[in-house]
Amino acid sequence: MKIDFNKDNGLVPVVIQDNRTLQVLMLGYMNEEAFEKTKKEGIVTFFSRSKNRLWTKGEESGNFLTVKSIDVDCDQDTILIKAVPKNVVCHTGSFSCFGEKNTKGFLYELEEKISQRIDMKAEGSYTYSLYQRGINKMAQKVGEEAVELVIEAKDHNEELFKNEAADLLYHFLILLKAKGFSMDEIEKVLQDRDQ
């Protein structure tokens, strides 16, 4: 990965994106030292133009950004970092510097939570307890939720319909995890069909 730090006085802009939802969280700047520190520690460190020094995001608040991937654009002068925020990102208290948390992409955040609860064998968790009951029970729950959604589709209660749709998606994600697949893989199937 080659980055051109010479174009703008040694600094390049860095876009931070939520690794799960792809929501843009903030924009900062890095010099080469900040970039190397970020790569080494896996925690985002910028060069603060106002402080005139390296600044690890969250060094005071504890709201660190854990790096998941780093890419550079086609001109090698802008960095895109996908990260998982520990908490809110903006100093104003907003989830991101561009506003509050989007609902779009939340399914990926939920998929990660479901996966964690199963992998960590979270006792007392409905997700893990259903997983423990085996593939037949998980598939049965997906079927039940699908039927309940169909029933609500024939009525005119919007709230009940939306809740049944949410139940179906939630149980589908548990079944997907149990089968060893991810939403990315299902999206790829849909994308391939859209040719």
Side-chain angles (χ1 to χ4, degrees):
M1 181 179 296
K2 184 172 173 53
I3 300 169
D4 187 352
F5 286 100
N6 296 318
K7 280 187 180 174
D8 190 16
N9 297 321
L11 297 179
V12 296
V14 182
V15 177
I16 305 294
Q17 195 174 27
D18 191 308
N19 185 60
R20 302 156 300 186
T21 65
L22 303 184
Q23 180 174 358
V24 174
L25 300 175
M26 66 176 295
L27 173 72
Y29 292 86
M30 285 184 183
N31 60 10
E32 194 164 3
E33 186 182 4
F35 179 68
E36 291 301 325
K37 188 172 191 293
T38 296
K39 279 200 314 183
K40 180 180 176 186
E41 297 179 352
I43 301 292
V44 174
T45 291
F46 297 106
F47 181 84
S48 169
R49 295 175 300 171
S50 58
K51 297 177 169 74
N52 198 33
R53 64 170 175 83
L54 295 187
W55 168 61
T56 297
K57 172 69 181 149
E59 65 185 18
E60 292 176 8
S61 65
N63 296 337
F64 297 105
L65 295 166
T66 302
V67 176
K68 291 299 180 182
S69 68
I70 301 176
D71 292 298
V72 62
D73 77 342
C74 54
D75 294 323
Q76 285 88 43
D77 60 3
T78 302
I79 298 170
L80 172 65
I81 293 181
K82 291 181 182 169
V84 175
K86 187 169 182 183
N87 203 332
V88 297
V89 173
C90 186
H91 70 283
T92 64
S94 292
F95 178 70
S96 93
C97 293
F98 299 96
E100 291 302 333
K101 196 175 209 175
N102 289 337
T103 53
K104 281 190 177 177
F106 175 73
L107 279 177
Y108 284 92
E109 193 174 335
L110 180 61
E111 181 183 38
E112 185 179 278
K113 285 181 183 174
I114 287 170
S115 184
Q116 287 172 348
R117 285 181 184 163
I118 290 172
D119 292 343
M120 295 172 66
K121 301 180 180 175
E123 295 295 336
S125 155
Y126 170 77
T127 301
Y128 182 58
S129 69
L130 179 60
Y131 176 80
Q132 280 187 303
R133 295 173 72 184
I135 200 77
N136 288 348
K137 187 62 183 174
M138 287 180 272
Q140 179 187 334
K141 282 298 294 180
V142 170
E144 288 172 4
E145 298 301 341
V147 169
E148 289 172 15
L149 180 65
V150 169
I151 291 169
E152 291 304 331
K154 295 164 72 70
D155 292 332
H156 302 288
N157 188 317
E158 293 180 0
E159 286 306 310
L160 287 177
F161 177 79
K162 287 190 288 186
N163 275 291
E164 292 303 340
D167 286 347
L168 177 59
L169 284 172
Y170 169 73
H171 287 91
F172 166 71
L173 289 175
I174 297 173
L175 182 61
L176 210 54
K177 165 70 177 175
K179 294 294 290 180
F181 298 116
S182 68
M183 283 229 302
D184 273 342
E185 292 170 278
I186 306 306
E187 280 190 338
K188 178 72 169 59
V189 172
L190 291 169
Q191 190 178 46
D192 289 346
R193 289 180 185 175
D194 187 34
Q195 299 295 329

